């Protein structure tokens, strides 16, 4: 009996020990902020938007479905600790871009995903919505660098798309394409290996010599010289990084590089009068005064945007407040497009940082920011708009701001991607949005263009929200009883903690992923897998469209800077070929024109950057791609 009791004790001790070991490996889930556990507000937003859908005057009886698993794409975005476990209000949380081009000449558009940690990835389009990872073969992974933005452009006019990728202090990279999707690093020899806090990169031909030049937007110095990271290395951000614009010694000028041919570029920033120390994440090219020379609209994420007018390809003259008296104070993304189909190109700008002064509830997400920062931080406000801006063009060099009238506001926006989602002839807007950990969830926005009169909120109507797999995800783990006991998120806890934060999108691109004729949306998520939002529009209604692919001869091969007008069914549709596909991204894709009820195209007119005018009236491929070569 004694022996049996002894054995029982040993068995009990073994069970308790095993249980204790299991308990030590178990992780408690903790939401940050705690309100993430309750998503009932999403249901309320959805209910209201669906109820209001009856007032949308354009076709909206179609939906998007996240088809990531079916595509074969397994990319995952990863972040540095300063955007997660050691979060600071520093510009690492601005994320990374996504760019699209036909890199191997097979007629299908491939996708390049940019990553902070673990290398970028290039995915080959196999057709019908299937993709294959060709990163290793491409040579464009950029392992070991904290990448930011990507731009495709044919820098040498040889008929294939080259690639430029910006990075945080690791040196930007230029890759020459061999025509088959294999890239050779020519960063050093090209002169484009700038090392700094680079962000968006925009290729355009500023002097109209037929070669693409590069405008590089640099944010400002937001990192220290201290290195961090376990399995990777990055420069730790300043604790007061968000106040960088108050420290002139941290300024970092954006740069203009002239293409001298033979893959050589020269920094001409000072020579052309473009030295600008705005804390800029991106820029766009737009011919504001309609004189045939491409001007620059430069974003400032903490202050006034700047407008530089191109004086005959020789100088740039700042005319910011003369043309745009007030601009978005915290501008993050920009896109030029014809909002109301009047033949004039308008400018849409998203404002992230104004929204950061005060967190509001979901019911106020489509209102302007209630600016709470003191004047010492944000200025007098005399030249500021606290939120998104929409500049409707009234004529050469003349605009009026109409964001509120057009319902163009949303909350915590990064950048817009533009495309005619319902193929009715009016371009719609997808805005990548949200702040992720440690903030609440905020929805991505879809603004359906209601006949050029107003944008209708439609992210729930079209099935883009709520997300398929929920609004939260695990961000990092803490040892609340050990090394991480002093972490703010470990307060009051013991053992292992799994910290869950909100999901959010940083960048997106709109194109026909599966080849069915309608436009789909591919996103680059922050610290997460992408979404491939495929549209079922083509199965819900008869759509009419045309893709226009430009091939320059005197102009640059991509036709960047051209303005294309399609005449069909008694209407005219105008688009700029600027490559601007989304936040931190420039893609080389054909222009997609939805044509509404029109069943044929009368003509295509192209105003080339060379100054040539060209009209096409024959050989137009309805519901397909028409290639126009400059003559």
């Amino acid at each position: 009996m004694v022996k049996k009791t002894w054995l029982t004790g040993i068995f009990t001790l073994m069970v308790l020990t095993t249980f204790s070991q299991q308990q030590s490996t178990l992780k408690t889930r903790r939401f940050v902020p705690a309100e993430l556990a309750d998503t009932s507000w999403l249901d309320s937003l959805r209910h209201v938007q669906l109820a209001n859908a009856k007032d949308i005057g354009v076709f909206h009886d179609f939906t998007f479905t996240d088809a990531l698993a079916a595509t074969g794409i397994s990319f995952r975005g990863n972040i540095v600790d300063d955007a997660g476990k050691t979060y600071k209000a520093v510009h690492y949380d601005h994320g990374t871009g996504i760019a699209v081009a036909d890199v191997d000449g097979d007629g299908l558009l491939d996708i390049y995903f940019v990553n902070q940690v673990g290398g970028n990835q290039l995915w080959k389009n196999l057709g019908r919505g299937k993709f294959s990872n060709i990163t290793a073969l491409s040579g464009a992974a950029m392992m070991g660098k904290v990448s930011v933005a990507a731009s495709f452009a044919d820098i040498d006019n040889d008929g294939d798309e080259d690639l430029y990728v910006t990075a945080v202090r690791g040196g930007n990279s230029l890759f020459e394409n061999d025509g088959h999707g294999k890239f050779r690093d020519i960063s050093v020899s090209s002169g484009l290996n700038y090392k700094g806090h680079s962000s968006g990169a925009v290729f355009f031909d500023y002097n109209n010599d037929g070669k693409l030049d590069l405008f590089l937007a640099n944010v400002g110095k937001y990192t220290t010289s201290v290195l961090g990271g376990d399995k990777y290395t990055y420069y730790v951000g300043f604790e007061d990084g968000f106040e960088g614009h108050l420290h002139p010694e941290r300024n970092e000028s954006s740069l203009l590089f002239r293409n001298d041919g033979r893959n050589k570029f020269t920094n001409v920033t000072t020579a052309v009068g473009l030295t600008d120390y705005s804390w800029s994440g991106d820029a766009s090219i737009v011919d504001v005064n309609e004189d045939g020379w491409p001007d620059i609209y430069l974003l400032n994420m903490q202050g006034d945007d700047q407008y530089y007018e191109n004086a005959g390809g020789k100088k740039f003259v700042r005319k910011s407040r003369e043309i745009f008296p007030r601009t978005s104070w915290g501008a993050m993304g920009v896109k030029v497009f014809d909002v109301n189909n009047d033949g004039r190109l308008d400018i849409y700008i998203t404002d992230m940082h104004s929204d950061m002064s005060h967190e509001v509830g979901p019911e106020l997400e489509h209102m302007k920011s209630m600016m709470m920062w003191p004047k010492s931080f944000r200025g007098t406000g005399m030249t500021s708009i606290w939120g998104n801006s929409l500049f409707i063009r009234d004529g050469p060099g003349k605009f009026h701001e109409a964001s509120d009238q057009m319902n163009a506001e949303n909350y915590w926006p990064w950048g817009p991607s533009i495309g005619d989602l319902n193929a009715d002839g009016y371009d719609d807007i997808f805005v990548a949005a949200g702040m992720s950990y440690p903030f609440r969830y905020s929805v991505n926005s879809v603004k359906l263009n209601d006949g050029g009169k107003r944008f209708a909120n439609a992210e729930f109507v079209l099935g883009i929200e709520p997300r398929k797999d929920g609004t939260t995800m695990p961000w990092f783990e803490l040892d609340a009883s050990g090394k991480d006991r002093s972490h703010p998120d470990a307060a009051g806890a013991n053992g292992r903690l799994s910290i869950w934060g909100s999901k959010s999108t940083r960048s997106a691109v709109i194109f026909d992923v599966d080849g069915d004729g309608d436009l789909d949306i591919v996103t680059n998520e922050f610290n997460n897998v992408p979404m491939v939002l495929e549209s079922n529009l083509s199965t819900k209604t008869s759509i009419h469209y045309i893709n226009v692919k430009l091939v320059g001869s005197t102009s640059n091969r991509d036709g960047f800077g051209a303005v294309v007008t399609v005449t069909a069914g008694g209407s005219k549709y105008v688009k700029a070929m600027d490559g601007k596909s989304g936040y931190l991204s420039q893609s080389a894709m054909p222009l997609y024109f939805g044509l509404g009820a029109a069943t044929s195209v009368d003509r295509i007119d192209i105003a080339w950057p060379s100054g040539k005018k060209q009209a096409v009236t024959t050989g137009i491929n309805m519901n397909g791609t028409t290639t126009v070569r400059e003559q």
Side-chain angles (χ1 to χ4, degrees):
M1 189 63 132
V2 173
K3 185 176 181 180
K4 183 177 180 181
T5 302
W6 176 76
L7 287 172
T8 301
I10 291 294
F11 176 75
T12 301
L13 179 62
M14 291 173 62
V15 170
L16 288 174
T17 301
T18 302
F19 179 75
S20 177
Q21 291 172 342
Q22 290 175 341
Q23 284 293 95
S24 68
T25 61
L26 291 178
K27 296 184 287 290
T28 301
R29 180 185 301 185
R30 173 171 284 185
F31 290 104
V32 178
E35 67 190 75
L36 288 176
D38 179 13
T39 59
S40 59
W41 63 273
L42 265 177
D43 297 329
S44 298
L45 283 185
R46 180 177 181 273
H47 176 77
V48 170
Q49 192 175 106
L50 292 180
N52 292 335
K54 65 182 184 302
D55 298 324
I56 300 177
V58 293
F59 186 78
H60 57 274
D61 184 22
F62 65 105
T63 57
F64 289 86
T65 303
D66 189 353
L68 175 66
T71 66
I73 295 173
S74 59
F75 170 78
R76 181 185 181 89
N78 298 298
I79 59 172
V80 299
D81 280 349
D82 273 6
K85 186 175 181 179
T86 59
Y87 178 83
K88 301 177 180 67
V90 71
H91 300 82
Y92 281 121
D93 66 6
H94 288 195
T96 51
I98 175 175
V100 167
D102 176 9
V103 302
D104 53 7
D106 65 356
L108 299 172
L109 294 173
D110 313 300
I111 308 174
Y112 186 76
F113 291 97
V114 187
N115 208 356
Q116 277 190 350
V117 175
N120 309 324
Q121 291 186 9
L122 178 61
W123 286 79
K124 175 180 170 58
N125 191 334
L126 303 175
R128 297 184 179 182
K130 305 294 184 183
F131 291 81
S132 174
N133 189 347
I134 60 170
T135 308
L137 294 174
S138 74
M142 287 185 62
M143 299 293 293
K145 291 188 179 183
V146 178
S147 297
V148 181
S151 296
F152 280 113
D154 188 352
I155 63 165
D156 47 12
N157 292 329
D158 65 352
D160 54 48
E161 300 303 330
D162 308 299
L163 175 65
Y164 188 66
V165 185
T166 66
V168 182
R169 293 181 65 175
N172 301 338
S173 298
L174 178 64
F175 297 96
E176 182 186 14
N177 191 345
D178 71 350
H180 305 286
K182 293 184 179 180
F183 294 87
R184 181 172 67 96
D185 191 333
I186 58 171
S187 309
V188 175
S189 62
S190 71
L192 292 183
N193 60 327
Y194 175 81
K195 291 185 178 180
H197 297 78
S198 294
S199 189
V202 182
F203 283 94
F204 75 116
D205 186 359
Y206 85 87
N207 53 7
N208 286 348
D209 66 351
K211 300 186 293 292
L212 286 174
D213 313 298
L214 173 68
F215 184 81
L216 176 63
N218 291 318
V219 177
K221 299 176 177 65
Y222 57 85
T223 63
T224 68
S225 59
V226 177
L227 294 177
D230 295 327
K231 298 179 181 179
Y232 56 90
T233 300
Y234 75 103
Y235 288 96
V236 174
F238 285 112
E239 292 290 343
D240 63 347
F242 195 62
E243 301 173 10
H245 65 293
L246 302 178
H247 299 269
E249 71 277 8
R250 298 184 193 174
N251 288 344
E252 191 171 323
S253 174
S254 293
L255 302 171
L256 178 66
F257 294 90
R258 184 187 64 219
N259 188 338
D260 295 326
R262 299 185 179 182
N263 295 337
K264 304 290 184 182
F265 289 78
T266 299
N267 184 345
V268 294
T269 309
T270 303
V272 301
L274 252 182
T275 302
D276 190 292
Y277 290 102
S278 300
W279 281 60
S280 180
D282 219 336
S284 184
I285 306 308
V286 53
D287 186 0
V288 166
N289 59 354
E290 299 177 16
D291 66 348
W293 295 96
D295 310 309
I296 299 175
Y297 190 99
L298 176 63
L299 301 183
N300 189 346
M301 62 180 67
Q302 285 166 286
D304 296 332
D305 292 348
Q306 303 297 337
Y307 161 62
Y308 288 90
E309 192 167 280
N310 189 332
K314 297 179 175 61
K315 292 279 187 179
F316 283 87
V317 181
R318 186 160 76 174
K319 295 187 177 181
S320 309
R321 303 291 73 80
E322 178 181 337
I323 306 298
F324 303 98
R326 298 172 69 239
T327 63
S328 296
W329 182 85
M332 200 61 65
V334 57
K335 177 60 181 175
V336 174
F337 71 109
D338 186 0
V339 170
N340 51 13
N341 283 2
D342 65 354
R344 302 185 180 117
L345 293 169
D346 312 301
I347 308 173
Y348 179 54
I349 293 139
T350 53
D351 180 335
M352 159 60 78
H353 281 169
S354 286
D355 287 342
M356 295 304 295
S357 79
H358 179 60
E359 186 169 331
V360 302
E363 70 281 358
L364 298 177
E365 288 199 350
H366 297 287
M367 305 292 289
K368 282 287 186 289
S369 168
M370 296 182 288
M371 178 52 66
M372 304 296 287
W373 282 317
K375 291 182 179 180
S376 59
F377 183 82
R378 46 78 170 176
T380 65
M382 296 297 291
T383 56
S384 300
I385 298 171
W386 312 125
N388 298 350
S389 50
L390 177 58
F391 296 109
I392 302 294
R393 188 188 299 249
D394 300 317
K398 296 181 179 180
F399 297 82
H400 71 274
E401 204 285 308
S403 56
D404 288 339
Q405 298 93 311
M406 294 289 291
N407 186 38
E409 193 61 59
N410 74 317
Y411 195 56
W412 285 342
W414 295 103
S417 295
I418 305 298
D420 189 355
L421 298 179
N422 55 4
D424 68 347
Y426 288 88
D427 275 336
D428 311 297
I429 307 173
F430 176 86
V431 184
M435 274 299 297
S436 300
Y437 170 87
F439 299 90
R440 73 169 178 86
Y441 181 75
S442 181
V443 301
N444 287 322
S445 294
V446 176
K447 303 280 188 178
L448 273 185
N449 192 332
D450 205 341
K453 300 179 182 66
R454 183 175 171 83
F455 289 102
N457 303 323
E459 56 274 359
F460 292 96
V461 172
L462 300 182
I464 287 174
E465 292 285 354
R467 293 168 179 255
K468 181 177 69 173
D469 297 322
T471 60
T472 60
M473 54 172 281
W475 277 74
F476 54 86
E477 294 182 7
L478 295 176
D479 179 4
S481 299
K483 63 178 182 177
D484 299 316
R485 64 171 60 91
S486 62
H487 194 285
D489 295 335
N494 294 302
R496 303 291 301 179
L497 276 181
S498 177
I499 302 301
W500 282 55
S502 60
K503 297 177 181 178
S504 70
T505 304
R506 286 300 182 272
S507 187
V509 62
I510 296 175
F511 72 105
D512 186 359
V513 170
D514 50 5
D516 63 354
D518 53 37
L519 292 177
D520 312 299
I521 304 169
V522 183
T523 71
N524 197 354
E525 302 289 302
F526 198 54
N527 197 34
N528 198 6
V529 298
M531 291 189 292
V532 181
L533 301 168
E534 291 188 357
S535 170
N536 69 351
L537 177 69
S538 63
T539 68
K540 303 290 285 188
T541 187
S542 178
I543 61 174
H544 309 105
Y545 70 94
I546 183 174
N547 290 312
V548 178
K549 177 179 173 59
L550 300 180
V551 180
S553 54
T554 306
S555 302
N556 67 87
R557 183 69 177 254
D558 284 324
F560 285 172
V563 175
V564 180
T565 303
V566 171
T567 303
S571 297
K572 290 186 177 182
Y573 308 97
V574 176
K575 294 184 188 294
M577 183 61 178
D578 59 6
K580 196 70 185 168
S581 56
Y583 176 57
L584 302 178
S585 311
Q586 187 175 38
S587 299
M589 304 184 293
L591 294 172
Y592 179 96
F593 291 82
L595 300 175
T599 56
S600 62
V601 172
D602 300 318
R603 60 187 290 148
I604 303 171
D605 290 281
I606 303 95
W608 294 94
S610 64
K612 292 181 179 179
K613 309 290 184 182
Q614 185 174 350
V616 177
T617 57
T618 60
I620 298 173
N621 187 13
M622 188 71 177
N623 281 16
T625 299
T626 297
T627 299
V628 181
R629 300 180 183 278
E630 184 179 15
Q631 297 178 351

